[in-house]
Amino acid sequence: MSISFPYLLTDYVVRRQPEFRDKPFVMASRQRGRMVIDAVSPAAAKKDILTGMVLADCKAIYPELQMVETETGRVEKLLQALAEWCIRFTPVAGVDLPDGVILDISGCAHLWGGEADYLAHIQSKLSGYGFTTKLAIADTISAAWAMARFGTASIIGCGKQREAIRTLPPVALRLEDTILARLKKLGMRTIGSFLDIPLSALRRRFGAEMPKRIAQALGTELEWITPVQPVEPYQERLTSMEPIASAAGISIALQQLLGSLCLRLEAEGLGLRNATLKCYRIDGAVQQIEIGTGHPSRNVPHLFKLFEHKIATLEPDMGFEVFALEAYKVEPVTDEQAAIWHTASQNDRKVAELLDRVAAKIGADAVSRYLPAEHHWPECAVKKASPLWEKQSTDWRTDLPRPVHLLPAPEIISVTAVLPDYPPMLFRHKGIRHTVVKADGPERIEQEWWLSDGLYRDYYIVEDENGARYWVFRSGPYDGDQPQWFLHGYFA
């Protein structure tokens, strides 16, 4: 079975940012000093926008087109994850770059009631995760690949691949561009136009590549899948000779499990991020507690402290007979373990462990850290660090004053100003009048040209009669109409 993902990257973006659903957007990266489109959404594809086009040209034709920057290596990571996910349907699944996954389904389809139900089940699961797919089943890898991308039938009967691929374009055989160009020049628009020509004649005219691809599609030459290896779970189990019902006994079992698990993590250069302790009672019930860390850790005392205060929530009843500790999220631990602040590494570790204990007690959402982002709009120039120790990719802006408290969204105010380019004389916010005694500005801020969908802003720092300072801005020019003014932040 070949599974094609025609909108892999854009489907992934919609999964993470649902606001892009049904909107025309593209993913682009910088190439030779210009932004080039790497992937398009279904809505953008309907506007005849294709990969390889220059973003600026497309924006000139479709100003409403939105852009998301391409993340390097994301395609490979996604296909690897999808291939590992497919192991639940077959023991042999491989990555099929650049846009698919290939499965060896020999002896598997009957478990789902036949090939048709098997294919429909996999497709519905992937569709439920938000991925657009096209699937095909055939005797050979090449025939399945061709039908999943260029064919109309989903299941090709045994030995029927010759008839199935006959009407497909030559590109379905994965031929080189030079061969495709020569076939086009000769007027051979389908595989059937040369499929019955003797292979020796094709080899003399087009080289060894074409006969090889035809033989692979027809099954006379073998083609192999490079299977992904299933990830062995980071799990440790402990069986008790007698049921354990005391907190002390559970603590001893937990420490043993943590010790064994952390030894394995240390050998592989990894640290634990999330872990679950499952306790199996003798009556068959399962109790569990879970922890998370802000940075990868294999420090047994620290991890035990995160579990310790949750042990009291377990209900042993007649006692636990089996304990299972699983780290379902692990990450590499580097020698330069990323610092949260510019302090000594020992202090960084202590601060990070303190934050872990605080988050374990009051919730991970209660601890936040913010980093600068490369955007002009002030509300977009700050992002939440995830994970907490994430390194900043750009420096905080210090050349111009910025408010201590920036509002999540600008709030409309009514303003009285003498001249269009002058700061306000007074303004009203939430029914309170503020008379301006001092002002500084304007500072003009515009959005990036490829994101621009609003007016520019002229910011002023103003001080009222009580000494309070505010960051206000006018949106756009006067142009005969009264422009809108907004309050965006407070200075200390």
Side-chain angles (χ1 to χ4, degrees):
M1 176 186 291
S2 178
I3 306 176
S4 170
F5 298 87
Y7 303 105
L8 178 65
L9 285 176
T10 52
D11 286 344
Y12 173 72
V13 170
V14 172
R15 274 175 54 86
R16 300 184 63 187
Q17 303 177 52
E19 63 271 18
F20 281 107
R21 191 181 305 277
D22 300 326
K23 290 185 178 180
F25 74 97
V26 299
M27 300 188 69
S29 61
R30 187 168 297 279
Q31 301 177 24
R32 297 181 180 179
R34 57 185 183 176
M35 300 296 290
V36 178
I37 295 175
D38 298 317
V40 300
S41 68
K46 292 180 181 178
K47 297 181 179 292
D48 296 328
I49 296 174
L50 304 175
T51 58
M53 289 183 172
V54 178
L55 177 63
D57 296 340
C58 297
K59 288 278 289 184
I61 301 173
Y62 302 106
E64 71 275 14
L65 185 68
Q66 300 185 50
M67 188 275 289
V68 178
E69 191 166 350
T70 305
E71 181 181 349
T72 303
R74 175 54 61 186
V75 170
E76 291 78 4
K77 292 178 181 177
L78 282 174
L79 291 179
Q80 178 72 21
L82 287 166
E84 292 176 359
W85 177 83
C86 287
I87 292 176
R88 68 192 63 195
F89 302 109
T90 173
V92 181
V95 173
D96 188 12
L97 291 172
D99 63 351
V101 172
I102 191 77
L103 312 181
D104 183 353
I105 64 171
S106 303
C108 299
H110 72 280
L111 299 174
W112 277 264
E115 291 179 345
D117 292 339
Y118 183 57
L119 185 146
H121 180 77
I122 296 176
Q123 190 165 29
S124 66
K125 287 288 186 181
L126 290 170
S127 178
Y129 289 128
F131 289 105
T132 303
T133 58
K134 189 176 180 184
L135 292 75
I137 295 175
D139 286 351
T140 64
I141 293 175
S142 293
W145 187 95
M147 297 304 297
R149 289 157 180 81
F150 302 97
T152 56
S154 298
I155 301 176
I156 307 304
C158 184
K160 302 293 185 182
Q161 56 266 28
R162 177 181 286 270
E163 292 76 11
I165 67 172
R166 186 177 291 275
T167 59
L168 302 183
V171 68
L173 287 178
R174 296 175 290 175
L175 298 172
E176 297 176 354
D177 291 339
T178 55
I179 298 177
L180 293 174
R182 294 175 66 185
L183 289 171
K184 182 178 180 181
K185 187 175 181 180
L186 293 171
M188 295 181 176
R189 307 294 182 180
T190 64
I191 296 175
S193 60
F194 56 83
L195 186 60
D196 296 326
I197 297 176
L199 296 183
S200 58
L202 293 176
R203 185 178 294 106
R204 287 195 302 270
R205 186 66 183 267
F206 299 100
E209 177 72 12
M210 181 183 285
K212 176 184 175 182
R213 290 301 189 187
I214 293 175
Q216 289 176 341
L218 299 181
T220 57
E221 184 170 331
L222 292 178
E223 189 175 2
W224 303 98
I225 297 175
T226 302
V228 296
Q229 298 298 322
V231 179
E232 183 180 355
Y234 291 91
Q235 186 182 81
E236 297 290 335
R237 296 176 68 88
L238 180 64
T239 303
S240 175
M241 298 291 292
E242 296 289 338
I244 296 177
S246 65
I250 297 172
S251 298
I252 294 172
L254 176 59
Q255 286 178 324
Q256 291 185 21
L257 291 171
L258 284 171
S260 301
L261 182 60
C262 289
L263 282 176
R264 178 185 171 189
L265 293 174
E266 184 175 6
E268 299 182 21
L270 300 172
L272 179 152
R273 281 294 313 280
N274 295 94
T276 300
L277 174 67
K278 293 184 178 180
C279 307
Y280 296 84
R281 289 196 322 211
I282 60 176
D283 61 356
V286 180
Q287 301 279 312
Q288 71 177 46
I289 51 178
E290 183 177 347
I291 65 164
T293 63
H295 74 296
S297 175
R298 49 178 181 251
N299 185 337
V300 175
H302 169 60
L303 296 174
F304 177 74
K305 286 182 180 179
L306 300 182
F307 274 114
E308 189 175 23
H309 77 280
K310 296 185 178 183
I311 292 178
T313 63
L314 296 173
E315 299 177 1
D317 197 28
M318 299 297 293
F320 298 116
E321 58 181 353
V322 178
F323 299 90
L325 176 65
E326 180 177 2
Y328 57 88
K329 185 177 182 181
V330 297
E331 292 179 357
V333 176
T334 61
D335 294 336
E336 56 160 7
Q337 185 65 58
I340 295 183
W341 293 286
H342 296 294
T343 58
S345 59
Q346 180 69 12
N347 289 336
D348 293 335
R349 183 179 60 80
K350 290 182 178 179
V351 169
E353 291 180 354
L354 172 62
L355 292 176
D356 287 343
R357 293 195 294 273
V358 171
K361 292 183 178 180
I362 65 176
D365 295 337
V367 182
S368 300
R369 174 171 169 257
Y370 295 89
L371 299 175
E374 294 184 351
H375 288 284
H376 293 169
W377 250 212
E379 61 266 34
C380 301
V382 178
K383 66 177 183 178
K384 192 172 183 179
S386 179
L388 279 177
W389 73 93
E390 179 185 357
K391 289 184 178 180
Q392 63 187 56
S393 58
T394 185
D395 295 328
W396 288 103
R397 186 166 186 176
T398 58
D399 58 327
L400 293 170
R402 289 293 182 262
V404 175
H405 179 198
L406 184 72
L407 296 176
E411 298 179 0
I412 294 179
I413 56 176
S414 59
V415 168
T416 300
V418 178
L419 294 173
D421 292 330
Y422 274 44
M425 297 174 56
L426 59 88
F427 67 91
R428 289 183 179 274
H429 178 238
K430 295 182 178 180
I432 301 177
R433 171 175 168 166
H434 302 269
T435 302
V436 176
V437 297
K438 293 180 182 180
D440 188 19
E443 175 194 350
R444 178 160 294 181
I445 300 179
E446 300 187 53
Q447 266 194 321
E448 297 84 347
W449 62 267
W450 60 87
L451 297 177
S452 180
D453 57 359
L455 300 172
Y456 64 79
R457 300 175 179 179
D458 284 338
Y459 279 85
Y460 296 88
I461 301 173
V462 298
E463 180 179 321
D464 67 7
E465 69 276 15
N466 298 320
R469 294 184 178 182
Y470 306 88
W471 207 33
V472 301
F473 71 86
R474 183 186 69 245
S475 179
Y478 270 85
D479 288 341
D481 296 327
Q482 187 70 18
Q484 286 189 317
W485 286 77
F486 297 85
L487 173 65
H488 204 174
Y490 302 90
F491 289 88

